[in-house]
Amino acid sequence: MIALLVFHLCVNIWWLRVDNHAIETDEEGHMISARQHYAALFPFEGPRDIKSRLTALSRIELGIPAHPPLLHILTAVVIRILGYSTNTMAFTITPLFLLSLLGCYLIARLYLTDWEALFTVSVVSFTPIMYAASRYLMTDYLSMTLVVWAVYALLRSQHFTKTRWALLF
């Protein structure tokens, strides 16, 4: 499983470095919003206190259609850590993709052997839409990651009898 995750990490990094895909439609809007969130969270000039940053965040329009800002905030943090570029913004999806695969593996392990679960996750990871879309800054991967881990927590809660897992769900 670790080899599969490392493979996808390396391939996505390589692809982002050599690709010149057109950034348009939703991805462009997400990158613009991420840039606005970055400017609000990590201002270059002016006041830098928490209140000023929260005020700046509250003034950001969510766009049409409106998207929840969690992906844009995560992307702003990734920009802060790795530097500003469109590839850095698109890279935000790669860890979410890897977390989704890990969650799928853990769900499959509840019902299958190690090898069967690994085969299942390999098939999921190479499904064309999963494999290719893991390199675009879109809200779908964040949603999928949250759903996969919510399902895992729900299954581990054993019909809500395990309080910690039920709370995590």
Side-chain angles (χ1 to χ4, degrees):
M1 184 62 200
I2 292 170
L4 180 67
L5 294 176
V6 169
F7 169 81
H8 281 294
L9 174 66
C10 292
V11 168
N12 278 15
I13 290 171
W14 171 81
W15 187 89
L16 287 168
R17 291 184 58 84
V18 300
D19 181 59
N20 291 316
H21 76 277
I23 297 170
E24 52 194 9
T25 63
D26 285 355
E27 187 177 29
E28 177 185 22
H30 293 306
M31 286 186 177
I32 290 169
S33 185
R35 190 174 62 216
Q36 293 170 338
H37 282 80
Y38 177 75
L41 289 170
F42 309 105
F44 291 117
E45 54 190 39
R48 295 183 177 153
D49 59 289
I50 298 288
K51 184 178 178 184
S52 298
R53 292 175 193 211
L54 291 175
T55 301
L57 280 175
S58 70
R59 291 185 178 144
I60 297 173
E61 293 186 29
L62 295 179
I64 309 262
H67 292 284
L70 182 56
L71 176 65
H72 309 129
I73 292 168
L74 284 174
T75 303
V77 171
V78 170
I79 292 169
R80 179 69 172 181
I81 295 168
L82 299 177
Y84 181 84
S85 77
T86 54
N87 288 339
T88 299
M89 287 188 258
F91 177 78
T92 302
I93 298 302
T94 298
L96 295 173
F97 175 53
L98 299 177
L99 281 171
S100 296
L101 294 180
L102 181 60
C104 288
Y105 176 78
L106 292 173
I107 291 170
R109 276 297 294 130
L110 295 174
Y111 304 102
L112 305 170
T113 66
D114 284 342
W115 286 107
E116 291 169 334
L118 181 59
F119 176 76
T120 301
V121 173
S122 296
V123 170
V124 168
S125 74
F126 287 109
T127 303
I129 190 66
M130 296 282 293
Y131 184 67
S134 68
R135 300 164 186 141
Y136 294 93
L137 185 65
M138 306 292 271
T139 56
D140 308 303
Y141 266 89
L142 177 60
S143 300
M144 178 182 68
T145 304
L146 294 173
V147 167
V148 165
W149 283 92
V151 168
Y152 179 68
L154 178 63
L155 293 171
R156 291 294 306 265
S157 75
Q158 296 183 351
H159 304 286
F160 298 103
T161 59
K162 292 190 174 182
T163 306
R164 288 182 183 165
W165 284 105
L167 288 174
L168 182 61
F169 167 74

